[in-house]
Amino acid sequence: MAGASSPPPTPKSPKLQPPLLERTKGPSGLDKIVLRDPGRFTAEVRLYGGQVTSWKNEQGDELLFVSSKAVFKSPGAIRGGIPICFPQFGTHGNLEKHGFARNRLWLVDDNPPPLPVNSGIKTYADLILKPSEEDLEIWPHRFEFRLRVALGPKGELFLTSRIRNTNTDGKPFSFTFAYHTYFSVSDISEVRIEGLETMDYFDNLKGKERFTEQGDALVFESEIDKIYLDTPPKIAIIDHEKKRTFVLRKDGLPDAVVWNPWERRSKTILDFGDEEYKHMLCVEPTAVEKPITLKPGEEWKGRLELSAVPSSYYSGQLDPDKVLHG
């Protein structure tokens, strides 16, 4: 009909962006929280163990190692990612190896005490663990363990642990601790670590005997299981083949464990592939030589910051004394 106007164009539906924080289930049925940064970095943390099991860059490359044989169900621990060792690291005590926090079900902490937050951090998750009656039978101390997992504005991964003694009997307690971080690497023979030169260490392969590291960067030709003592706040893991450098910064965690099982030991680990040692390296911020002691009401905080940068950016551009900002 003359003079009739065309109908207005149908407005396009806005493209929905995925939420920055999403609670979902993994293939094994375990609840997990997926964190997404606007810059397309992602991380995943399981409520089982309070364990980060994925950290990907903007290209979707997985930066953490998780074994293809990892078991995602109770009562065992998940082999890979960042298991939390509390209240005992390794066999440094009378509890099960690495303590029980890594194989307990954590809760989402809906009302966490305030933490200073980097204004660039848009996405984070807060979890909490308290002891069950069964836990109190094997370790008779009441505590609150609060964990914040966050993604930074450049894809950095931040873990902040706060452990408070809530004993009502007036008794202090002591513990050791580690972020048992598994890095994904291209080829272990093409990796070196800077920052541990000239450090003293206990060698777990030689009866925990104490030695002093040489002045060169660490390279890998065989099994290693060392606890470096009173280490600097920054350690660099340089992957020559991928031209990628992981920069690990830590606060409240004076020691650092370096572990790779190599060929022979790998064959004895049920939840670890025979050849997977070639593609992983554990560098673990720890407090083990001097256990942490808390009186009732006292709180300890231990922080980890991980970043992954092109190796060409690493040299000379990162201040070794930079303070953690997450």
Side-chain angles (χ1 to χ4, degrees), residues 154-175:
K154 296 181 180 179
E156 309 98 318
L157 180 65
F158 298 96
L159 278 73
T160 303
S161 291
R162 290 177 291 173
I163 298 169
R164 180 177 293 276
N165 181 338
T166 58
N167 276 338
T168 56
D169 58 8
K171 292 182 179 178
F173 63 67
S174 298
F175 62 91

Side-chain angles (χ1 to χ4, degrees), residues 74-239:
S74 179
I78 300 169
R79 173 72 65 184
I82 310 179
I84 290 175
C85 303
F86 171 83
Q88 176 182 300
F89 172 75
T91 56
H92 295 260
N94 300 319
L95 301 177
E96 61 185 289
K97 186 176 182 180
H98 292 325
F100 52 74
R102 64 183 185 148
N103 51 25
R104 295 294 187 268
L105 190 62
W106 295 53
L107 300 176
V108 174
D109 190 357
D110 292 321
N111 190 28
L115 261 180
V117 176
N118 179 332
S119 60
I121 291 178
K122 306 299 184 187
T123 176
Y124 56 86
D126 288 294
L127 304 183
I128 187 168
L129 178 69
K130 297 180 181 181
S132 66
E133 292 305 314
E134 292 80 7
D135 294 335
L136 290 169
E137 289 180 9
I138 61 173
W139 198 65
H141 304 292
R142 296 188 181 275
F143 64 87
E144 288 181 350
F145 187 148
R146 285 184 158 90
L147 172 68
R148 172 168 289 184
V149 179
L151 281 174
K154 296 181 180 179
E156 309 98 318
L157 180 65
F158 298 96
L159 278 73
T160 303
S161 291
R162 290 177 291 173
I163 298 169
R164 180 177 293 276
N165 181 338
T166 58
N167 276 338
T168 56
D169 58 8
K171 292 182 179 178
F173 63 67
S174 298
F175 62 91
T176 52
F177 181 95
Y179 292 117
H180 197 312
T181 311
Y182 287 76
F183 291 98
S184 174
V185 300
S186 56
D187 180 344
I188 187 62
S189 64
E190 296 292 327
V191 173
R192 76 176 193 269
I193 295 178
E194 294 183 356
L196 298 177
E197 301 89 342
T198 72
M199 294 287 109
D200 283 2
Y201 65 88
F202 293 125
D203 193 333
N204 289 327
L205 302 180
K206 296 181 179 179
K208 296 186 173 66
E209 190 175 346
R210 186 167 181 148
F211 298 91
T212 300
E213 191 57 72
Q214 301 301 309
D216 301 324
L218 265 67
V219 294
F220 302 94
E221 299 173 339
S222 60
E223 181 180 358
I224 184 170
D225 188 357
K226 297 178 178 179
I227 303 172
Y228 290 86
L229 309 173
D230 196 20
T231 57
K234 187 190 81 170
I235 299 169
I237 300 101
I238 300 160
D239 187 331

Side-chain angles (χ1 to χ4, degrees), residues 43-71:
E44 295 182 2
V45 55
R46 310 274 170 165
L47 297 190
Y48 181 70
Q51 184 163 333
V52 174
T53 53
S54 177
W55 173 40
K56 293 182 180 179
N57 64 15
E58 66 268 43
Q59 285 84 36
D61 298 329
E62 181 57 68
L63 303 173
L64 297 177
F65 168 86
V66 176
S67 174
S68 61
K69 294 188 173 184
V71 179

